[in-house]
């Protein structure tokens, strides 16, 4: 049974930083592409960043240059480093992993990020 456990969210002021973590209980973590999504009430879920097992990254324009997605295969963990946070970044952030070869994907429980003065 696969579980993704997220941590690192919280309340910060504009301009500050947070690092989100997502630990995955999978046997071979390196086979999965990883991603972070976010959602605010009344809005569609938005892809924030994705990182394939081959090292390709994609970011939504609004976070490019401020956020960095990374992974540690030894720790089976996905990270999202968020710098220069803005109020518009306020959302629930969800970790996602996807195994293309089996068309399987799994989601974290979500962690709240609030950016406010």
């Amino acid at each position: 049974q696969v579980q993704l456990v997220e941590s690192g969210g919280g309340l910060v002021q504009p301009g500050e930083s947070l690092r989100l973590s997502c630990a995955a209980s999978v046997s071979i973590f390196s086979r999965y592409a990883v991603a972070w999504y976010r959602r605010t009430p009344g809005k569609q879920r938005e892809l924030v960043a994705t990182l394939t097992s081959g090292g390709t990254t994609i970011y939504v324009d609004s976070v490019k240059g401020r956020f960095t997605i990374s992974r540690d295969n030894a720790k089976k963990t996905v990270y999202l480093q968020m710098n220069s946070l803005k109020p518009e970044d306020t959302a629930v952030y969800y970790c996602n992993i996807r195994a293309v070869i089996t068309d399987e994907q799994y989601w974290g429980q979500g962690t709240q990020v609030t950016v406010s003065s």
Side-chain angles (χ1 to χ4, degrees):
Q1 295 181 353
V2 175
Q3 289 185 319
L4 305 184
V5 180
E6 300 183 30
S7 62
L11 172 63
V12 297
Q13 295 183 341
E16 295 183 341
S17 299
L18 283 174
R19 188 180 73 162
L20 306 183
S21 298
C22 174
S25 62
V26 295
S27 58
I28 308 176
F29 182 71
S30 60
R31 72 195 300 175
Y32 297 92
V34 300
W36 289 93
Y37 291 77
R38 66 186 180 187
R39 179 156 51 200
T40 57
K43 297 178 63 178
Q44 288 271 23
R45 183 176 58 200
E46 176 185 43
L47 175 63
V48 178
T50 186
L51 172 62
T52 70
S53 58
T56 300
T57 58
I58 300 174
Y59 298 93
V60 67
D61 287 345
S62 61
V63 310
K64 200 164 189 176
R66 299 187 297 118
F67 290 13
T68 303
I69 186 172
S70 62
R71 64 192 297 164
D72 187 331
N73 287 339
K75 295 182 177 180
K76 300 180 179 180
T77 300
V78 189
Y79 303 98
L80 184 67
Q81 179 66 45
M82 303 184 294
N83 298 327
S84 301
L85 282 162
K86 303 175 180 180
E88 66 198 55
D89 297 318
T90 296
V92 178
Y93 284 73
Y94 297 90
C95 177
N96 170 269
I97 67 172
R98 177 174 55 86
V100 176
I101 193 168
T102 58
D103 197 29
E104 294 183 49
Q105 65 177 350
Y106 306 96
W107 292 90
Q109 81 280 8
T111 185
Q112 177 71 47
V113 172
T114 302
V115 185
S116 177
S117 298

